[in-house]
Structures are given as structure tokens and as C-alpha cells.
Amino acid sequence: MTTRFLSVRARRAALPVALCAGLATAVTACSSDPDEGTNGVGKLSAADIEGKARTAADGADAVHLSGTLVSKGGSYRIDMRLKENGATGTVTSKDTTFGLLRVGDELYLKAGAAFWTHRDDKGSGADSAAAGKLDDKYVKVPSGDPSYQELRGFTDKSALLQGMLALQGDLSKSGRSKVGEVRTVRVKAGEDGEGGTLDVSLQGTPYPLRFERAGGAGVLELGEWNQGFALNPPAKGAVVDYGRKLPRT
């Protein structure tokens, strides 16, 4: 066997190694593990991935939730920062945007004059002068007001996550994706994801990062997990008494 022949064989053997090295940064790198460098949840079953995501969400102290909710009552754009003992943020409906602040059981609503001139089902409403005084002020929502439970629902971290992140149907894994720059594994319910799809982080704690609700009922993104934020009642001078039953949202 000549030296030249051995040299040719050596070069041919080195070619696949060189190709692998050149593709090392690609997702499908030669002989690489697609879960290398992740938290490992991508190797689990779909049901276990969902369970890990729910456990992570339940154990978090805070989260920023934003997106669209579609229901029989209409469509809402929600942007809330939530803790176990309260929340702050905004909700936008077809007609108006209003802010919500809850500290413990104390719930406050903040909206522009247009919200306060909105007529309720009986056709009554605040006059323009009263609406002007309420413009961009906090109004404490009485716990006995019919709107209290409805509005509080937007500020309840546990109830909101439990109700909105519900997958309906048989679960299966639906490949890998990204939410922003974070790699995710996707879980779908139903053959084509008609029962909802959930993106779970493959980096660090397996938090849920994106949820497409069943039946086209909206898309939510969740981030800033465990990032604290100030949650204080408004100053007394910023609070106005509405003095009657609040308008329905």
C-alpha cells in the first residue's frame, strides 16, 4: 500500500469530521442531541411537559401576561402583571380601555371619561360633569358591586392561569419553536391543535411562554416570570368615590 494511497484515504476520512465541525452551530449538527443545553423537558411525554409547565407556573411569585381573549361577551386585550396578592395592568375591550389595580382584596378601576359615560342595561349613566371628575382617577370597586368579581377575575393569578391555560383533548408533542429568543417545545391538544397549543421553555425553568387557546379564543404570552414589581394602593388624592353601581364592562 503506497504512501499516496494512505494519504488519499486519510483525507476522505477527515471530510465527514470537517463537515460535522462546520455544522456544529446548526440545529441539526452531526451526531448532536437536540436537547443538548436545554432543561431536558423536550424528552418527556406531552402530558408530563404540560404538568411541568403548570407546576412551574403555580410556583412562580409573579408573571406578566398579555394577549387577546375572545369569548361570547366579546374580545379583550389584556396586559397584566400578576402576583398572588394582587395585580396591575390594563384591559381593552371594543369600546374602551381601563386600568385595574388590586392589592389584597382592595380593587381599583381607572378609566377615562368615556368609560364613565357608558350606559348600563337600564339606560342610565353618569352625566358629563361627573364623568369629568372621574377621568383618569382611581375608583374603589365595592366588594358587593356586581362588577367586583368580574373585574377581580382579570387580577387573580391562580384563577387566570388555571382557566386560560387549559388544553382540551388528547395531548401530543408538536415539535420545537421559539418565543422571542427562547427555545420551546410545543404541546398540542387534538390532532391539529384545535384544543389549544402550549409553548414551554426549554431553557431554565420550564415555564409556559405562549398559549393559543382552543377554538381560536385568543393567544396569550407569558413572561417576566418571578420578576418582582411594586404593588401599592393609590394615594388618597388619586381615589374618587363613584357613588353608585359601576357601569358594566
Side-chain angles (χ1 to χ4, degrees):
M1 189 176 291
T2 67
T3 303
R4 180 180 178 185
F5 180 74
L6 290 172
S7 177
V8 170
R9 287 192 63 183
R11 287 198 300 271
R12 288 178 178 174
L15 181 58
V17 176
L19 286 174
C20 242
L23 294 174
T25 57
V27 175
T28 56
C30 301
S31 302
S32 68
D33 180 354
D35 289 296
E36 185 177 357
T38 73
N39 54 23
V41 297
K43 298 179 180 180
L44 303 178
S45 69
D48 285 342
I49 293 170
E50 184 200 24
K52 290 281 188 182
R54 284 195 173 276
T55 298
D58 290 342
D61 293 328
V63 64
H64 180 195
L65 183 151
S66 62
T68 304
L69 301 174
V70 181
S71 67
K72 293 180 180 179
S75 176
Y76 297 90
R77 174 73 188 176
I78 183 172
D79 189 342
M80 298 294 301
R81 300 192 71 183
L82 304 147
K83 291 182 178 181
E84 289 298 335
N85 66 330
T88 182
T90 60
V91 178
T92 301
S93 66
K94 179 180 178 181
D95 300 320
T96 187
T97 296
F98 55 90
L100 290 173
L101 170 64
R102 182 173 66 84
V103 183
D105 291 326
E106 303 296 314
L107 179 64
Y108 302 89
L109 186 150
K110 185 178 184 180
F115 177 89
W116 300 110
T117 57
H118 173 69
R119 295 182 177 276
D120 62 24
D121 293 339
K122 296 180 180 180
S124 62
D127 59 32
S128 298
K133 294 179 181 179
L134 295 168
D135 183 36
D136 208 32
K137 295 286 187 180
Y138 284 102
V139 171
K140 185 175 180 180
V141 183
S143 59
D145 190 282
S147 295
Y148 180 86
Q149 290 301 328
E150 177 186 355
L151 294 171
R152 183 187 171 113
F154 289 111
T155 70
D156 190 320
K157 173 182 171 286
S158 297
L160 206 59
L161 294 183
Q162 183 177 1
M164 292 184 182
L165 302 184
L167 292 166
Q168 302 173 15
D170 295 333
L171 304 182
S172 62
K173 291 193 284 189
S174 184
R176 307 301 176 87
S177 186
K178 275 189 172 185
V179 175
E181 296 301 316
V182 181
R183 295 166 62 189
T184 64
V185 58
R186 180 168 291 177
V187 174
K188 67 178 180 180
E191 185 176 350
D192 298 314
E194 64 273 13
T197 62
L198 178 67
D199 278 275
V200 178
S201 176
L202 285 171
Q203 299 172 214
T205 305
Y207 290 120
L209 299 184
R210 188 174 188 272
F211 184 67
E212 294 184 29
R213 303 181 74 207
V219 178
L220 299 170
E221 292 199 357
L222 305 99
E224 299 177 47
W225 289 99
N226 269 334
Q227 292 187 21
F229 59 93
L231 193 61
N232 301 307
K236 290 184 178 180
V239 181
V240 177
D241 181 17
Y242 184 66
R244 67 185 77 184
K245 187 174 73 173
L246 270 65
R248 297 186 61 184
T249 56

